[in-house]
Amino acid sequence: MANLKELNKRKELLTGGHRMCAGCASPIIIRQMGLSQEVPLVVGSATGCLEVSTTPNPFTAWNSSFVHCAFENSAATVSGVEAAYRSLKRRGKVKDELRFVALGGDGGTYDIGLQSLSGMLERGPRILYLCYNNEAYMNTGVQRSGATPMGTQTTTAPVGKESIGKKQFPKDLTAIAVAHRIPFAAQASPSHWNDLITKSQKALSVDGPAFMNVLSPCPLGWGYSSEKTIEIAKLAVDTCFWPLFEVENGATWKLSYKPAAKKPITDYLKAQVRFRHLLRPENTAVVEAIQKRVDDDWAALCKRCGVEG
């Protein structure tokens, strides 16, 4: 587990003064991930909230080498950088020890960047791909993505007489990454900082690709007061809406956290404006369907991990 006294001595990956929204979880996640390493990181980020708000030309908030990638190819771009590094190191032209991180939001990972991500995981470079998952295309106006939960109100899945918001459940991207049988895959949350940092250490220590799917609450898109980001993230974990686990080599599953008392999904839904319509009596069946999916997925995860659900 991460040692807080040691972490305090390390250099922050992000400086202050970046232009992310107040309460945004993404810079919290990046700072926690960055504290996991003493060796320098080379970071590539897809276009999105994090990139446009931390690198407004000619400024940067990154205390590292940083590559701005297109929306769809963060994994491919960093793969090329990592391959160049290995080539230069073999020829003795580079002696420094470096680690490589590719970043993308859920839009640039679940959807438009999925092909690039899959190719990276299959080829096997030593890269951590971290998805900061705010469950919609937040940078361009809160449009639904493949990560958006069922019943969410977005600008492209509005709520009305004929619509409950998004009609589909989100795809299970973590399971897709696990299916590539990569050395390490995990889900994490900024509410459990020690778990996130420890998983980042593991992910960057394996000799091959790693994938981390990290829930990233968004005050603007989700509809809650900015000071409640960590509270919302913890609710997602305690309702088992966003369970914390890790998988090694596509086969060894480990549950990272089990709530002492699993909370009902309504506790999570009622805390966010994007779900408020689901609390109307006519949408009771939708809430029940969401709760059933959460319960079924939690039971299946516990079985894989060999613990009682």
Side-chain angles (χ1 to χ4, degrees):
M1 299 293 283
N3 184 300
L4 193 56
K5 289 183 179 180
E6 290 300 316
L7 296 180
N8 283 332
K9 301 175 184 177
R10 294 184 182 174
K11 183 180 179 181
E12 291 272 8
L13 187 58
L14 280 179
T15 68
H18 57 70
R19 301 176 190 187
M20 300 296 285
C21 295
C24 177
S26 299
I28 301 171
I29 291 165
I30 299 307
R31 290 174 65 199
Q32 290 178 4
M33 181 275 294
L35 287 173
S36 73
Q37 294 300 301
E38 293 184 276
V39 299
L41 296 178
V42 176
V43 178
S45 178
T47 300
C49 292
L50 185 68
E51 181 276 321
V52 301
S53 297
T54 58
T55 59
N57 187 51
F59 305 104
T60 180
W62 293 87
N63 280 319
S64 69
S65 298
F66 182 86
V67 184
H68 170 210
C69 312
F71 203 164
E72 73 279 3
N73 66 356
S74 178
T77 300
V78 179
S79 292
V81 177
E82 191 265 353
Y85 165 75
R86 283 189 284 110
S87 175
L88 291 169
K89 200 169 186 184
R90 280 195 305 271
R91 289 181 282 161
K93 294 186 176 182
V94 172
K95 293 184 169 53
D96 294 339
E97 193 67 25
L98 304 174
R99 295 289 181 269
F100 295 84
V101 180
L103 301 172
D106 53 288
T109 307
Y110 276 67
D111 298 339
I112 194 170
L114 182 58
Q115 181 180 13
S116 174
L117 171 63
S118 179
M120 186 205 90
L121 298 179
E122 185 272 332
R123 288 189 301 272
R126 188 171 182 176
I127 297 170
L128 163 60
Y129 191 104
L130 188 150
C131 174
Y132 60 97
N133 183 2
N134 53 33
E135 299 185 332
Y137 289 84
M138 299 304 181
N139 181 50
T140 53
V142 195
Q143 297 91 352
R144 58 90 83 196
S145 78
T148 305
M150 187 179 106
T152 302
Q153 178 175 3
T154 72
T155 54
T156 52
V159 172
K161 292 180 179 179
E162 303 297 328
S163 175
I164 59 158
K166 189 186 173 192
K167 297 178 181 178
Q168 302 83 12
F169 286 104
K171 69 179 76 168
D172 189 348
L173 184 61
T174 308
I176 293 172
V178 170
H180 288 74
R181 292 190 172 268
I182 56 176
F184 186 79
Q187 284 192 181
S189 168
S191 58
H192 294 65
W193 64 268
N194 209 316
D195 178 69
L196 195 157
I197 293 173
T198 301
K199 284 173 176 170
S200 299
Q201 290 173 335
K202 289 183 180 180
L204 287 161
S205 69
V206 298
D207 189 13
F211 175 79
M212 287 179 61
N213 200 350
V214 187
L215 190 68
S216 183
C218 171
L220 179 64
W222 292 18
Y224 65 84
S225 298
S226 59
E227 75 275 8
K228 294 185 177 180
T229 289
I230 298 303
E231 178 184 326
I232 295 291
K234 191 172 189 304
L235 262 178
V237 175
D238 285 339
T239 56
C240 298
F241 178 86
W242 190 258
L244 307 182
F245 63 92
E246 60 186 61
V247 187
E248 295 182 0
N249 301 309
T252 306
W253 293 67
K254 179 184 176 183
L255 193 65
S256 309
Y257 174 81
K258 183 179 179 182
K262 182 168 169 281
K263 295 182 178 180
I265 195 62
T266 49
D267 285 5
Y268 184 61
L269 301 180
K270 69 185 180 183
Q272 303 166 62
V273 172
R274 62 175 178 160
F275 294 126
R276 63 183 174 184
H277 59 284
L278 296 181
L279 303 178
R280 300 171 189 159
E282 63 267 27
N283 289 326
T284 298
V286 180
V287 176
E288 290 174 348
I290 296 170
Q291 183 69 72
K292 185 177 186 305
R293 174 60 70 94
V294 168
D295 293 344
D296 290 348
D297 287 352
W298 175 248
L301 175 61
C302 288
K303 185 175 180 180
R304 285 192 185 111
C305 297
V307 301
E308 290 187 14

